[in-house]
């Protein structure tokens, strides 16, 4: 990710909230930090839609609303975290929760036309960034990584799931490839910058 962009959001309360909640948590199958999804997703939001503060804040915080356990913890928290979240981000987060949870990877594959996406533009944009980033990691770390027939079946289901979402969100293969290229290029540049700094 671009250092100046990350620097611009890492000091903001909403980013610190999700960072505290995720801390050192990693995805079970890939071993990738949960914060990777937040950083890359926020980068995708900014790259496609510009530096929209409400949109970036809502995207960064969306996991707190999407998961029942985390939402309950947020509501029961006696710290000032909830007060630090903007009302717009809360509304967007709750609408995102409603839409995203209506079709998850655990469901049977649906025809794209049957997937509800709602009418709120910023929620649509959050979904675009979320599904592009999730598919990127799925293809990199999970898709066809094992030869077992049961794993291949799960792998194919995951690909169909992400493709159905991206089709419904009007994200073409060309757009997906282009955005993933931006993310990977930025990661390479960041890695090179860190290497130069160390030497």
């Amino acid at each position: 990710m671009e250092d100046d962009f990350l620097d611009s959001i890492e000091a903001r309360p909403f980013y610190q909230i999700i960072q505290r909640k995720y801390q050192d948590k990693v995805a079970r199958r890939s071993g990738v930090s949960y914060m990777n999804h937040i950083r890359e997703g926020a980068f995708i939001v900014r790259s496609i839609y510009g530096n929209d503060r409400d949109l970036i804040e809502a995207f960064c915080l969306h996991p707190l609303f999407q998961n029942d356990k985390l939402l309950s913890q947020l509501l029961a928290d006696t710290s000032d975290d909830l007060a630090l979240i903007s009302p717009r981000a809360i509304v967007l987060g709750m609408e995102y929760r409603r839409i995203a949870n209506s079709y998850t990877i655990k469901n049977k594959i649906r025809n794209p036309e049957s997937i509800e996406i709602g009418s709120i533009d910023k929620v649509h944009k959050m979904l675009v960034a979320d599904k592009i980033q999730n598919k990127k990691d799925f293809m990199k770390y999970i898709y066809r990584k094992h030869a077992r027939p049961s794993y291949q079946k799960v792998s194919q289901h995951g690909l169909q799931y992400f493709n159905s979402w991206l089709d419904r969100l009007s994200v073409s293969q060309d757009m997906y490839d282009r955005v993933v290229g931006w993310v990977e290029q930025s990661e390479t540049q960041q890695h090179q910058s860190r290497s130069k700094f160390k030497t």
Side-chain angles (χ1 to χ4, degrees), residues 107-122:
N107 297 138
K108 291 182 179 178
I109 299 302
R110 295 183 188 172
N111 290 326
E113 297 78 17
S114 70
I115 302 171
E116 181 188 2
I117 57 173
S119 59
I120 298 177
D121 181 61
K122 289 186 180 183

Side-chain angles (χ1 to χ4, degrees), residues 14 20 36 39 41 55 60 83 88 96 103 122 143-145 160 182:
F14 66 80
R20 284 197 301 273
N36 183 66
R39 287 191 298 270
L55 181 56
C60 288
R88 285 188 177 89
Y96 176 92
Y103 179 43
K122 289 186 180 183
Y143 185 64
R144 292 187 173 176
K145 296 301 180 186
Q160 291 174 334
W182 295 342

Side-chain angles (χ1 to χ4, degrees), residues 37-195:
H37 176 63
I38 303 302
R39 287 191 298 270
E40 289 188 356
F43 174 80
I44 291 169
V45 167
R46 200 283 304 267
S47 298
I48 300 175
Y49 304 115
N51 201 12
D52 182 322
R53 178 176 175 134
D54 289 338
L55 181 56
I56 291 170
E57 178 179 2
F59 180 86
C60 288
L61 294 173
H62 78 267
L64 301 184
F65 302 99
Q66 192 169 353
N67 179 286
D68 287 344
K69 182 179 178 180
L70 287 172
L71 179 60
S72 296
Q73 289 174 354
L74 181 65
L75 292 171
D77 194 343
T78 57
S79 73
D80 292 330
D81 280 359
L82 191 57
L84 295 173
I85 301 173
S86 75
R88 285 188 177 89
I90 293 173
V91 172
L92 290 170
M94 292 305 294
E95 178 63 4
Y96 176 92
R97 166 194 171 91
R98 185 183 74 81
I99 299 295
N101 286 356
S102 69
Y103 179 43
T104 72
I105 200 165
K106 295 178 181 179
N107 297 138
K108 291 182 179 178
I109 299 302
R110 295 183 188 172
N111 290 326
E113 297 78 17
S114 70
I115 302 171
E116 181 188 2
I117 57 173
S119 59
I120 298 177
D121 181 61
K122 289 186 180 183
V123 173
H124 182 98
K125 292 172 178 176
M126 290 168 67
L127 287 163
V128 168
D130 181 74
K131 301 310 174 188
I132 289 176
Q133 198 289 323
N134 277 332
K135 182 182 176 182
K136 180 195 81 71
D137 276 2
F138 174 80
M139 299 302 291
K140 184 175 182 178
Y141 298 109
I142 297 174
Y143 185 64
R144 292 187 173 176
K145 296 301 180 186
H146 299 286
R148 294 192 308 272
S150 60
Y151 196 94
Q152 290 293 310
K153 185 177 180 180
V154 169
S155 192
Q156 191 59 33
H157 175 88
L159 179 61
Q160 291 174 334
Y161 166 78
F162 287 117
N163 285 344
S164 63
W165 258 118
L166 292 175
D167 189 7
R168 183 67 178 98
L169 294 166
S170 300
V171 176
S172 67
Q173 185 65 42
D174 180 65
M175 179 180 176
Y176 169 80
D177 290 339
R178 190 165 64 250
V179 173
V180 169
W182 295 342
V183 174
E184 292 176 344
Q185 181 181 17
S186 182
E187 287 176 346
T188 299
Q189 291 171 349
Q190 189 179 19
H191 177 72
Q192 290 172 345
S193 296
R194 284 196 301 264
S195 297

